[in-house]
Amino acid sequence: MKTLIKNGTLATAEASFGADLLIEDDKIAAIGHNLSTEGIDEVLDATNKLVIPGGIDPHVHLDMPFMGTFSSDDYTTGTRAAMHGGTTMVIDFILQKQGDTLRNALTTWQAKSKDKAIGDYSYHMAVTDFNDQVAEEVKEMIQKEGITSFKTFMAYKGALMIDDGQMVGLMKVVKEHGGLVTVHATNGDMIDALVAKFLQDGKTSPLYHYLSQPEVTEAEASARFSDLLHYTGCPGYIVHMTCEGALNAVRRATLRNQRVMVETCIQYLMLDASLYDKGFESAKWVMSPPLREKKDQTALWAGLNQGLIQVVGTDHCPFMWNQKELGKDDFSKIPNGHPAIEHRVELLFSEGVAKNKITLSKFVEATSTRAAQIFGMYPQKGTLAVGTDADVVIFNPTTKHKISAKTHHMHCDYSAYEGVEVTGKTETVFLRGQKAIHNNECLLKPGTGKFIKRGPTQFLG
Ligand code: URP
Ligand code: ZN
Ligand code: ZN
């Protein structure tokens, strides 16, 4: 099967230029000017449109058991919604049960994803209980399974959190075998104490979720994580960074020539804590860490431009409204997370490129290329080049549209971005050469998505 995309503006993390792009079977076969249409099965005209690499969202939670319930998108609905928005690959989180093995956790997640994923996927392995046996399994995950990133939580005590001793042990073994440690960096003990105090005082609304995770909880944990990385020499990545204080911890680490890799998420660039003034409706934005202040958004945009932040993900962790209502009388029982997997690429374009906050190359870098490099699957994923997987998006940079729960494809009965007007739309998507999205329809079936084995990080800086 040969598909020719003609007359588009190809955008990569390095440059943008007018060219045609030929897809042959599952790979990009040629990039050039005036490529011949002879023997081509389908020709698509991309005049006045961008042609970009398929988005990679390295932070999603699909069908995840969490806070007494499950996130509401499974591998089919989640990867389909992602595809509609131009994201062709996701990295989900496997959660080890405390006291159980990584292998059992992997088996559970394989059953969730196999035959169900529409887009490509990989897993981060969340280590919630580190010991000698787990250390052996870390090696096996890296060498046999191609799972090279290990997620840790410095919060959610009693469920997911590990202590600093376990963190150092994990970092040492991950470093030895060529992996990467990622972290939810907030000070769990401090947050738990604040939560307990607010509840004791009868302060139960979503606003107190926000107030129980002040900036210092994230800044402190980000600095501590960076220090432990420096001590062990392990490569590390901080997920869902929200604030200036945490960014400054990473900036300080550069003074000793250390690079700590950083992801922020689209909501932290766009939304702010004023959304916690809406009574229980604010539960829509109860996530951890919470939304922050305008000054934090300014710091995050600058961090992206300065290269301190490499990736924009979503932390997609949707819950239906009746699930959010589990916390009607107690903010600490509101399942944490919001739906976003579908909107990340379009929102970053709209807020970033269309409003001149970032360049087109930075947009491609942050939505695709850096994630591929950091998580060890470049150039198979994350760029447009001859021989790479043909994960390709034709994007119309001028189409305006509005986000609504009525029209989105995520399995969630509200939108955290209801009514937001977006400039730029994903029009056609290819996954490994197969037409996946066209005319607002998904053409791929559950099971098309492939597990992608990964190698060591390729972005140590
Ligand atoms: O609120 C969030 N972030 N929910 C998902 C779990 C996590 O901490 O990433
Ligand atoms: Zn987290
Ligand atoms: Zn998360």
Side-chain angles (χ1 to χ4, degrees):
M1 176 75 186
K2 290 186 183 179
T3 307
L4 183 59
I5 303 172
K6 282 200 82 66
N7 306 319
T9 299
L10 272 58
T12 70
E14 287 80 39
S16 42
F17 49 93
D20 300 342
L21 182 146
L22 175 67
I23 298 173
E24 198 170 330
D25 300 326
D26 59 343
K27 302 284 185 222
I28 295 176
I31 291 174
H33 294 293
N34 302 316
L35 295 184
S36 165
T37 54
E38 219 181 290
I40 301 294
D41 299 289
E42 185 175 24
V43 180
L44 291 170
D45 182 27
T47 302
N48 296 328
K49 294 177 189 170
L50 301 174
V51 180
I52 56 178
I56 299 170
D57 187 343
H59 192 152
V60 305
H61 301 278
L62 302 176
D63 194 11
M64 181 179 81
F66 191 50
M67 298 183 72
T69 185
F70 283 79
S71 56
S72 60
D73 261 321
D74 64 12
Y75 268 78
T76 298
T77 61
T79 60
R80 182 166 51 214
M83 200 71 82
H84 273 282
T87 291
T88 50
M89 175 165 180
V90 300
I91 313 183
D92 187 26
F93 292 84
I94 297 178
L95 300 184
Q96 175 200 18
K97 277 195 193 134
Q98 292 187 333
D100 202 349
T101 61
L102 303 188
R103 174 60 56 187
N104 283 344
L106 174 58
T107 305
T108 303
W109 258 260
Q110 283 169 331
K112 287 176 191 284
S113 50
K114 192 170 171 298
D115 302 329
K116 296 201 179 120
I118 288 175
D120 285 353
Y121 61 96
S122 179
Y123 313 118
H124 306 284
M125 176 62 73
V127 176
T128 63
D129 195 1
F130 183 74
N131 53 45
D132 290 347
Q133 188 203 336
V134 171
E136 281 303 311
E137 288 194 283
V138 163
K139 179 173 162 195
E140 194 179 310
M141 289 299 144
I142 294 174
Q143 293 179 351
K144 283 208 193 125
E145 305 295 345
I147 297 172
T148 53
S149 49
F150 296 84
K151 172 75 183 295
T152 59
F153 292 88
M154 297 168 90
Y156 304 123
K157 198 170 187 169
L160 303 173
M161 178 170 152
I162 57 172
D163 64 29
D164 292 347
Q166 290 177 307
M167 181 72 87
V168 168
L170 177 67
M171 284 176 174
K172 283 184 175 162
V173 71
V174 168
K175 175 190 153 65
E176 187 185 339
H177 298 294
L180 173 75
V181 173
T182 80
V183 71
H184 171 124
T186 61
N187 183 319
D189 285 335
M190 191 176 163
I191 292 167
D192 288 350
L194 286 165
V195 169
K197 179 76 175 95
F198 284 132
L199 291 178
Q200 195 187 357
D201 294 347
K203 294 174 171 165
T204 60
S205 75
L207 173 68
Y208 294 95
H209 169 79
Y210 160 65
L211 293 174
S212 62
Q213 300 200 30
E215 180 175 7
V216 60
T217 58
E218 192 179 334
E220 183 281 329
S222 301
R224 183 158 33 106
F225 180 73
S226 302
D227 286 347
L228 300 183
L229 287 177
H230 189 245
Y231 169 70
T232 57
C234 185
Y237 175 97
I238 301 179
V239 306
H240 57 39
M241 186 176 281
T242 70
C243 59
E244 188 182 15
L247 190 63
N248 282 340
V250 166
R251 196 188 309 275
R252 279 195 300 278
T254 64
L255 299 177
R256 59 191 176 201
N257 202 23
Q258 179 192 10
R259 186 201 286 279
V260 180
M261 293 169 267
V262 177
E263 160 202 288
T264 188
C265 295
I266 191 68
Q267 61 272 26
Y268 301 120
L269 291 166
M270 276 196 66
L271 308 177
D272 67 65
S274 61
L275 289 167
Y276 295 121
D277 281 342
K278 290 179 177 288
F280 192 70
E281 197 200 338
S282 298
K284 288 177 181 170
W285 301 279
V286 163
M287 60 186 79
S288 291
L291 301 173
R292 303 281 187 204
E293 313 299 320
K294 295 266 184 234
K295 63 104 184 154
D296 297 298
Q297 291 180 345
T298 306
L300 294 177
W301 283 109
L304 197 55
N305 275 319
Q306 291 160 354
L308 282 169
I309 297 174
Q310 292 84 28
V311 172
V312 177
T314 57
D315 193 7
H316 175 74
C317 191
F319 296 98
M320 295 298 219
W321 187 245
N322 66 2
Q323 294 175 286
K324 287 282 184 181
E325 283 181 336
L326 291 169
K328 198 127 190 73
D329 303 315
D330 175 350
F331 70 85
S332 71
K333 295 199 167 64
I334 301 169
N336 285 199
H338 89 314
I341 201 167
E342 185 168 351
H343 303 312
R344 178 186 66 119
V345 171
E346 290 174 354
L347 283 176
L348 190 67
F349 184 86
S350 188
E351 288 299 306
V353 183
K355 294 187 180 169
N356 287 320
K357 291 191 189 123
I358 57 171
T359 63
L360 187 55
S361 287
K362 181 61 81 176
F363 159 74
V364 173
E365 185 184 299
T367 53
S368 181
T369 312
R370 283 291 183 256
Q373 292 170 331
I374 289 171
F375 295 109
M377 50 185 168
Y378 182 86
Q380 178 190 358
K381 302 288 187 191
T383 194
L384 301 175
V386 173
T388 68
D389 280 2
D391 299 339
V392 180
V393 175
I394 303 177
F395 190 87
N396 190 324
T398 52
T399 305
K400 289 193 192 303
H401 58 110
K402 270 194 184 154
I403 293 178
S404 173
K406 291 195 187 78
T407 48
H408 74 201
H409 300 86
M410 298 175 285
H411 186 57
C412 191
D413 52 4
Y414 74 89
S415 172
Y417 303 90
E418 189 68 41
V420 169
E421 190 173 75
V422 180
T423 302
K425 185 147 183 30
T426 296
E427 281 190 354
T428 302
V429 179
F430 291 89
L431 174 73
R432 286 179 278 104
Q434 303 161 87
K435 204 193 263 177
I437 301 289
H438 196 56
N439 293 332
N440 289 318
E441 260 191 72
C442 182
L443 307 172
L444 298 183
K445 297 207 165 12
T448 314
K450 261 191 10 192
F451 175 74
I452 304 295
K453 279 191 171 190
R454 296 181 287 112
T457 182
Q458 297 158 291
F459 189 72
L460 289 170

